Every structure is written in structure tokens, then in C-alpha cells.
Amino acid sequence: MNLSLLDPFAVAKEYPESLTQSLAYGHSLVIQFSHKGDYLALGLADGSIVIYDLVCNGGIITHLYRNGHLRPITSLSWSRCGRYLLSTSQDWTIKLWDLSMVNQGDDIDPVIRTVTFDGPVWSAVLHPKNPFLFVASLFEDSAAVVDMTDDIKISRLSAHPKGQEDSKDKHLTLTSVFTPDEEGSYIFAGTSKGWINIFDLSTLNKVHSVKVANANIKNVVISPNGRKLAVNASDRIIRQINLSDFINTAPEEWEFEVEHKYQDVVNRLQWNTVAFNHNGDFLCASTFGQLSQDLYVWETSLGSLIKILEGSSEELVDLKWNYPRCIIGSTGLDSGTIYLWLVPFPQKWSALAPDFVEIEENIEYEEKEDEFDIIDDDLLNKKRLQEEDLQVDVLLKELVDARGFTIQEAFVIPVDYRRKYGA
Amino acid sequence: MNPTSETNGSTVVDSRLYSVRYVVQNPSESINTVKISPDGKTMATCSSNGVIRVYELASGTLKQELRGHAKGVSDVDFSPINSDILVSGSDDLTVRLWSISRGKCLKVLRKHTYHVTTVKFISRGSILLSGSADETITVWDLTSGKTLRTLSAHSDPILSVALTPDDTIIVSGSYDGLMRLFDLETGYCLKTLVYNSASQGTATASTSDVVNFPISYVNLSPNGKYILSSSLDGAIRLWDYMDNKVIKTYLGVGDEPNISTKFTCETCFITCTKTPLIASGSESSGLLFWDVQTKKIVCQLKLSEGAVLGVTSYDDGKVVVCSDSNGTVTVLDINDVE
């Protein structure tokens, strides 16, 4: 509700512009914003997870380390409802945390599922609807879809392109994501040979394969509205692909035409991580190497670079976009500090004195005809009472906020009121 | 103690909207406020002698007495996410965080330099607001114990703070007659509302010849779009804060149009009835209920001689509890809604 009282030009900004905050708590490797944008989870190099409350730039709500990971965290994924958090680590395990059980005392263990593999885990993503289903990409191993609803059921996804299942080439899945539709109908998996394999979640069959690059695919990102795909490969190019309507057309008919290629032709930079904004109109990427310490933001319809986010003094690795709050967060490689870019709102001094207005330039004041007329009190009262006759609805709530996001009820992590400060 | 029927001009004021479930009495104390826990099991009262009492809501049995404040306690608030946690603000300059089950004070928050008049949790329970007669509002982060921000934009004691349901705007009411809206995140003042009888009720000039009556209590409509303000000129006003406009004015019963000119009488919204109602305590007319739309008093409950100070509702108003300056706490149940 505050947004509707703030400067509309600032509210309408579609990407953040200024580095306003850095969070330093241990050495963070990966970050993830909750879907409502109210929490930020950090995965630390010591295997623990820290959750910040972003409302009012609040403090650390919880630090998850008991029964946690023993080696650095490699990825984090929130459930849509905000209650569950999935973490993957180099210690070969994936853990699902029930955040309603944190801060309740030492005898309650918030880790409700642990899945152990035969090697380190690159990353894992929770299904959009079912917080007990995820897809994981594994080091030197084929990707896995894991259903943890009752017992743990692991299904493997082969990395060979469709129709080449018998080839002798070694294909490895390096990254995998669900499509962002309600059902998470398909899985997009990027391989070490530049292929994208698409699996139907209901049957786990490979329905389509397409070669997009001649190098490792490091990230596959689908915009939250499902329209655009960005593929970050180690050949220093980010390819932006328009996606077909994957709900209403058959997988065989899908086309993968590269719409734009983003590369830095001068410095020949590799890209660490890419992320879309909520409607896929903007794409942001962090750059590899000590030369550059910036984030690049492109406009995706024309493919032009529109902003370089500067201010950090180290190479940036992980990169996430907080849609409802319009924040870009990124982790520093050397110090593990989190940098947050956001839209600053100007202070309006006229808000303090309602009879003052801020004007750009002097205006000639024209006195209204009746401005200094003396009006009888009774008349005034009558007029006021008439004005008060209008219908008022004190119950109906707004469904979307000023930025156009649906206002959703989200899970609130319990607060440990007994915690001693400074400890 | 029995509710009595009274007439208000030509309209018959119904007193059968609510019936008394029980009454708790602590004579010789003024019960400043009463709150019901989010799980609906307990209620907490605070009084001018510094004692906080926690009762079982169903029976009125005293569950716990929380002692520690050296002076009177003006306000208490339950944590919205944990019914065991209560916060209190007192004239002894401190804000205290209590665990009810342990009967213990968990934390003492010191920052204010004069009486703490009001305390309020945000709905996530992690941040606390306290308003004080030292003219400031302090925003506390309970996860770190730090003060995130001090809002010092009023020029007189702050009597009440409220929050929009989405936790983004703080509304403050002060003795200087202003209501200010602050952005919780940045602490910036977003808007100032002032009622001025000479300007058609819109927010305009507050020059020296205009007296702004103190705002004693502010509350937000359930959807967060309107502010209900109680002013010590005796009226309650419903504001459309986007438009800077008073859209409804509520007055007391017939021969006593002033609701309160001395005390902070709390208000609450009742939404389980056919049309939404506003309930407010009053100085000498007991507990009053207005229809939001028609501004008519639909029910008056004169339960005691004292001024009704605290009013709170639970379950959309199916249960209403009020407290008064003579130490009486009354729990009311709604009669069948037609």
C-alpha cells in the first residue's frame, strides 16, 4: 500500500539502479529470494544457511546449521508458499527444511528430508507446486527427479540427446529447471555438449532435444512468464530464445530460434549467472573474471545493453532478481558479501506539511474566485454531511499491488523471542 | 451491570446486539487496554498501577500476573505469530517483552525518554513499534534487539500507532493533532493528515489561529484503505487517506455528542454483522456501536459508570471485550446475527 503513496515514477521503474546495501555474514556462495520477496536465504561456504527478513531491512531470522550440511552450499530453492527450503551441497546431500519448525528450540529438527547421492550436487530446483518434488543436477552423474512425498523415489534423466541414446559420447547434465507454469509440466536440462533436453514431468520421457551451443551449458533460465529462455554457455555467449507455447502445442512442434546473442566482444568475458525479470523484458548477468565487477542489464526485445550495475569491489557470482520488491542481489567471490541493488525512493518533504507542494519551477498563482469568501458554518456543515453520504467499503481488499503483483498471503517464519542479543 | 435500552432522538438504540458473558473486576485500577491473543484463548489487560494480567478468555480465570513495570502500563500487544508473547509499554520509559507461560520478562527495551504510550507488533512478529510521549516512534528489530529507526516528526506526545494490514505504512496519531503516515521500510513520511474545520475537512493549512485537536487513537479498516481516527474534539472520523479526505464522521448519543475529550478510547471494526460496524469506548456513554455506512448508533451498552477505554474484538467481532477506568473488564458475545 505504501507504493501507491510513493513517487509513481520510482514505482514504475522496472529494474533497480543503485547499490544501497551489502550484507556480510560469513562467506555466502549462493542466494535465493523467497517468491513473495520477503526473505533472502544465503548458502554459506561452511554449509550453513542464513535467512534474512527483508521487511524493513530486518535482521537474521534464523541460522540453519544444526543437522545441516558439512560442505559448501551449492544452491537453494524456495517453495512457492515460502514454508519449505531445499538446499544442495558439495557434501553429496540435498536437504529439505520445514521453516515452520525453526526457532522452536534445540529438540525440534527442521530437516524433514535428506537425499544422499554418490557425489557433489550442482543444483536442485523445487517443483512450482509440489514442495516434495525436485530435479537435481549432479556432478559426473545423470540428473535426477526426486519425489520425497512419502519415501524417497529417485528417477534418473539421461543426458544423451533424443535419438542418440546409444552414442558413445559422454553427455552430462549440468543444469536443470522446471517450466514455470502451474504444473511445472516440463524439465529443461542443459548438457556439457551444448544440448538442451526437455522431459515431460508426468512420464519422464525425453520429448525434445535441441543443440544450442558447442560448449558447456552453465545456466538455463526460463523467464517467470514462460515466454523466454536464456542459455548461458561457456563459449562466452548468452543466447536468448523465444519459447513456443509449451502448454498448447506438442513438443515435436517446438521451435528454438535464437532471438538475441549477448556477448562482450571487447573483453571476451564469460558470464557467471543470468536472471530474467518477472516479465522477461530484462535480462541481467554477472561477469566472470577479476577484470570486471559489474552486472549487465539488457532489454530483451531489442537486445540492447541498458545498464551496468556497478559498485561492488569484487567479482560477482550468483545473481538473483527479487520481482515484487524490484531488487537484484549478487554474491561477491572474494569476500562472500551480498550486494543488493534497488530502486531508491526520494523523500518528499511536502509530505510533512500538507499545505506545501514541491514544484519544479515557479508558477504564477491564480486566486480562485471564491478562495477567500466567508461561508456560513451551517452551510459548510451541510455540505460536508452531503459529501459523507457516499458508499464506503471497508472490507474489500486490493488484489494487486501498485507494481501489478498479486498480493499473496505468505508463510511467516517463527521468531525466536528468547534469543539473547549479541550471541 | 445490566445493559439498558436508551433512545437516541427518534432512533431506538438496540442494546441486544451483544450479551455479557462475564465481568472481571479489579476496582481502584484503570484498565487502559485489553487485547485478545491471536489464538483466541487468552486476553491481557494492563492497568495504571503497572500490573499486566492475563486471563483465559473462555472463563475469565486469571492465568498469569506479569509484574515488573515500575509505573502504569498504557498499552499491551500480543505477537501475531505467537500467543505466548506479549509486549507492553509503560510510563517507566521501558518496553518489555514477556513470555506468558513462563510469567517472565524476556527483554527490556530502553530508548524512550518519556512515557511509552503505545506498542504494536507488525503482522510478521519480527518488528515492534513503540510510540511515546517523548514525541518519537521507535522501530525495534526483535531478531537483533536493535532500533532500526526513530521517527521523530511529531511535535507533541504520540498517543497511538497503527499499521496497514500489509505492514508497509505506519500511521501515527499525536497530541499535535496530526496523523502522519510513514513508510515502514524507509522511515520517510509519506503523508500528513490534519482535520481542520475551516477547510471542508480536507488537509490544508495549519496556521497559528487553527487549533488541531489531539488525535487519541488511530485504527485501520480491515482492508487497510481507510483510517479511523478518534480525536479529542469528541468525534471519530473515517479518512480516505489516498484522497486526504474525511468521508464519515461519527458522533455520540443525542445529548452527549462528544465521544471522548479526555481519554484515549479505543475503536475496533465489527465485520461479522450484516453491515460492518464500528465499536468505540466513550467517556460517559459506555460502549457504542455505529453502522459504518449510515453513521447511526445501532447499539449502546452502558455497562458501568466509568469511561470505556479499551475495546477489542475477536473472530470478526463475534466476541468483543472492553475495559473501563473503574477496573471492569467485560466480555461480550454477539447475539444471533440475522
Side-chain angles (χ1 to χ4, degrees):
Chain A
M1 292 180 164
N2 59 339
L3 290 177
S4 25
L5 288 176
L6 290 165
D7 181 7
F9 294 104
V11 174
K13 290 233 169 76
E14 298 190 85
Y15 52 89
E17 289 187 335
S18 42
L19 177 66
T20 49
Q21 219 186 341
S22 56
L23 304 172
Y25 186 93
H27 191 110
S28 304
L29 298 174
V30 288
I31 56 171
Q32 192 66 260
F33 293 103
S34 64
H35 288 275
K36 199 190 172 201
D38 49 353
Y39 292 110
L40 172 64
L42 325 179
L44 268 55
D46 65 0
S48 64
I49 299 164
V50 171
I51 299 177
Y52 273 93
D53 190 341
L54 291 178
V55 170
C56 200
N57 306 326
I60 294 163
I61 285 282
T62 187
H63 188 180
L64 306 171
Y65 52 88
R66 200 174 297 107
N67 301 327
H69 293 289
L70 306 169
R71 307 266 302 145
I73 306 284
T74 52
S75 81
L76 295 166
S77 178
W78 289 85
S79 67
R80 283 288 154 109
C81 57
R83 178 171 165 183
Y84 301 97
L85 183 69
L86 188 78
S87 61
T88 67
S89 164
Q90 291 178 17
D91 71 357
W92 305 14
T93 62
I94 295 180
K95 287 176 192 283
L96 185 70
W97 304 79
D98 182 347
L99 299 176
S100 69
M101 288 153 80
V102 304
N103 293 340
Q104 309 274 313
D106 292 355
D107 46 338
I108 296 173
D109 181 8
V111 179
I112 53 170
R113 300 282 192 284
T114 301
V115 184
T116 308
F117 290 97
D118 304 328
V121 186
W122 285 125
S123 69
V125 184
L126 278 179
H127 184 263
K129 206 170 168 189
N130 180 357
F132 292 96
L133 183 68
F134 67 84
V135 57
S137 317
L138 307 164
F139 180 75
E140 295 283 316
D141 201 348
S142 49
V145 174
V146 182
D147 186 347
M148 315 176 281
T149 314
D150 302 312
D151 1 302
I152 291 161
K153 286 198 286 280
I154 302 178
S155 322
R156 294 289 181 162
L157 302 175
S158 118
H160 288 278
K162 189 173 162 69
Q164 299 180 26
E165 273 81 3
D166 306 327
S167 96
K168 294 270 156 50
D169 289 351
K170 192 179 176 192
H171 288 264
L172 288 168
T173 302
L174 302 179
T175 177
S176 46
V177 289
F178 287 104
T179 51
D181 58 302
E182 194 74 0
E183 303 298 323
S185 321
Y186 298 98
I187 296 166
F188 280 52
T191 75
S192 55
K193 291 276 193 287
W195 286 81
I196 290 182
N197 295 320
I198 299 156
F199 300 86
D200 185 330
L201 181 64
S202 48
T203 58
L204 294 182
N205 285 336
K206 201 175 288 156
V207 292
H208 201 110
S209 288
V210 58
K211 188 164 175 107
V212 292
N214 257 325
N216 284 339
I217 292 183
K218 301 204 290 188
N219 308 130
V220 172
V221 189
I222 304 174
S223 68
N225 59 4
R227 301 274 170 75
K228 291 190 168 79
L229 170 75
V231 179
N232 176 23
S234 52
D235 61 0
R236 297 156 209 269
I237 299 172
I238 299 168
R239 289 168 179 81
Q240 179 191 313
I241 296 167
N242 263 346
L243 284 182
S244 315
D245 179 354
F246 49 75
I247 303 294
N248 298 318
T249 56
E252 297 75 38
E253 297 166 18
W254 292 352
E255 285 176 21
F256 291 85
E257 196 183 324
V258 176
E259 193 185 16
H260 292 295
K261 286 183 179 179
Y262 303 104
Q263 53 186 324
D264 186 327
V265 282
V266 181
N267 299 319
R268 302 280 295 146
L269 295 170
Q270 281 227 31
W271 308 102
N272 281 330
T273 318
V274 289
F276 276 109
N277 80 328
H278 67 98
N279 58 8
D281 283 353
F282 297 95
L283 182 71
C284 185
S286 58
T287 51
F288 173 83
Q290 298 296 329
L291 275 172
S292 169
Q293 296 151 353
D294 309 319
L295 301 178
Y296 286 54
V297 183
W298 294 278
E299 197 273 326
T300 57
S301 64
L302 296 169
S304 50
L305 180 69
I306 49 160
K307 183 85 190 168
I308 295 176
L309 298 175
E310 300 167 318
S312 73
S313 48
E314 55 187 315
E315 182 188 343
L316 298 167
V317 188
D318 199 15
L319 163 71
K320 292 285 156 28
W321 203 309
N322 181 338
Y323 313 124
R325 286 178 181 265
C326 200
I327 303 176
I328 287 178
S330 190
T331 58
L333 177 74
D334 303 325
S335 68
T337 304
I338 317 281
Y339 298 92
L340 298 176
W341 282 263
L342 40 111
V343 181
F345 288 102
Q347 162 88 290
K348 280 190 295 179
W349 298 105
S350 60
L352 291 160
D355 41 348
F356 281 69
V357 277
E358 287 171 37
I359 50 174
E360 296 280 316
E361 53 188 43
N362 286 338
I363 47 173
E364 195 84 18
Y365 188 71
E366 268 179 56
E367 187 191 315
K368 285 192 214 95
E369 164 60 30
D370 59 347
E371 188 158 357
F372 295 101
D373 287 6
I374 296 166
I375 309 169
D376 193 43
D377 272 358
D378 288 346
L379 269 169
L380 267 182
N381 267 330
K382 211 174 149 193
K383 192 176 162 214
R384 191 178 307 150
L385 284 174
Q386 271 173 2
E387 278 177 8
E388 289 190 6
D389 278 343
L390 57 95
Q391 288 283 325
V392 47
D393 187 346
V394 293
L395 301 176
L396 188 71
K397 289 183 178 147
E398 293 282 347
L399 297 173
V400 289
D401 68 10
R403 285 197 175 110
F405 290 98
T406 316
I407 296 168
Q408 48 172 338
E409 291 282 315
F411 172 77
V412 177
I413 300 175
V415 177
D416 183 6
Y417 291 107
R418 293 200 297 264
R419 184 160 80 188
K420 296 273 182 290
Y421 300 141
Chain B
M1 287 314 338
N2 288 327
T4 52
S5 234
E6 280 183 33
T7 50
N8 173 26
S10 59
T11 46
V12 178
V13 174
D14 185 10
S15 61
R16 288 159 305 179
L17 187 62
Y18 282 89
S19 47
V20 177
R21 192 194 300 179
Y22 62 82
V23 172
V24 181
Q25 289 202 315
N26 285 294
S28 79
E29 288 176 15
S30 171
I31 312 278
N32 294 322
T33 191
V34 55
K35 293 282 160 70
I36 299 174
S37 65
D39 64 5
K41 289 189 179 137
T42 52
M43 64 172 181
T45 65
C46 64
S47 73
S48 47
N49 66 2
V51 185
I52 300 161
R53 293 193 178 82
V54 181
Y55 301 90
E56 268 175 32
L57 183 64
S59 59
T61 326
L62 183 67
K63 228 175 121 182
Q64 192 69 258
E65 272 191 350
L66 304 171
R67 289 173 188 272
H69 280 298
K71 287 183 179 169
V73 181
S74 298
D75 198 10
V76 290
D77 196 23
F78 277 99
S79 161
I81 58 166
N82 186 343
S83 293
D84 187 42
I85 302 293
L86 190 74
V87 69
S88 61
S90 159
D91 291 355
D92 68 3
L93 319 187
T94 62
V95 174
R96 285 170 193 255
L97 196 68
W98 307 84
S99 162
I100 294 166
S101 59
R102 299 159 143 218
K104 229 174 84 178
C105 176
L106 299 174
K107 257 145 218 170
V108 184
L109 305 172
R110 293 173 212 271
K111 175 107 193 317
H112 287 295
T113 54
Y114 209 43
H115 301 179
V116 180
T117 52
T118 174
V119 284
K120 181 98 191 143
F121 272 105
I122 72 162
S123 67
R124 302 158 73 76
S126 55
I127 287 165
L128 180 71
L129 310 172
S130 62
S132 160
D134 67 8
E135 303 170 7
T136 65
I137 298 165
T138 299
V139 183
W140 306 87
D141 179 8
L142 293 177
T143 57
S144 66
K146 287 185 194 131
T147 57
L148 291 172
R149 199 152 272 131
T150 302
L151 309 172
S152 45
H154 283 288
S155 56
D156 268 316
I158 285 154
L159 295 175
S160 176
V161 291
L163 268 164
T164 51
D166 63 353
D167 286 342
T168 55
I169 304 176
I170 304 170
V171 183
S172 62
S174 159
Y175 227 89
D176 60 14
L178 306 178
M179 279 187 282
R180 292 202 198 268
L181 278 62
F182 297 95
D183 188 285
L184 176 70
E185 215 133 299
T186 58
Y188 293 161
C189 180
L190 297 171
K191 192 162 250 190
T192 301
L193 300 174
V194 54
Y195 183 78
N196 178 334
S197 53
S199 60
Q200 288 92 36
T202 54
T204 53
S206 48
T207 44
S208 53
D209 57 329
V210 182
V211 181
N212 296 322
F213 283 96
I215 306 288
S216 58
Y217 195 72
V218 286
N219 198 353
L220 276 127
S221 68
N223 61 3
K225 287 186 189 168
Y226 305 99
I227 297 171
L228 191 65
S229 72
S230 310
S231 162
L232 292 191
D233 66 355
I236 295 177
R237 297 188 176 87
L238 190 67
W239 290 79
D240 181 346
Y241 60 83
M242 288 294 167
D243 220 8
N244 305 344
K245 236 176 156 175
V246 174
I247 51 168
K248 300 278 172 189
T249 307
Y250 304 93
L251 294 169
V253 281
D255 51 347
E256 187 53 65
N258 285 341
I259 296 160
S260 174
T261 54
K262 284 193 292 229
F263 304 110
T264 298
C265 294
E266 299 180 349
T267 58
C268 69
F269 281 86
I270 313 284
T271 54
C272 63
T273 45
K274 206 158 54 185
T275 52
L277 305 180
I278 288 166
S280 173
S282 72
E283 213 164 275
S284 55
S285 318
L287 182 61
L288 299 169
F289 296 84
W290 291 263
D291 185 294
V292 170
Q293 187 58 43
T294 64
K295 303 182 281 178
K296 290 211 171 76
I297 293 177
V298 294
C299 176
Q300 179 186 18
L301 296 171
K302 189 101 169 73
L303 302 157
S304 70
E305 287 309 306
V308 177
L309 303 177
V311 179
T312 189
S313 70
Y314 184 72
D315 200 6
D316 299 334
K318 293 198 182 71
V319 179
V320 168
V321 185
C322 63
S323 66
D324 75 10
S325 55
N326 291 352
T328 313
V329 178
T330 313
V331 178
L332 301 157
D333 285 306
I334 199 160
N335 293 325
D336 286 337
V337 190
E338 290 118 56

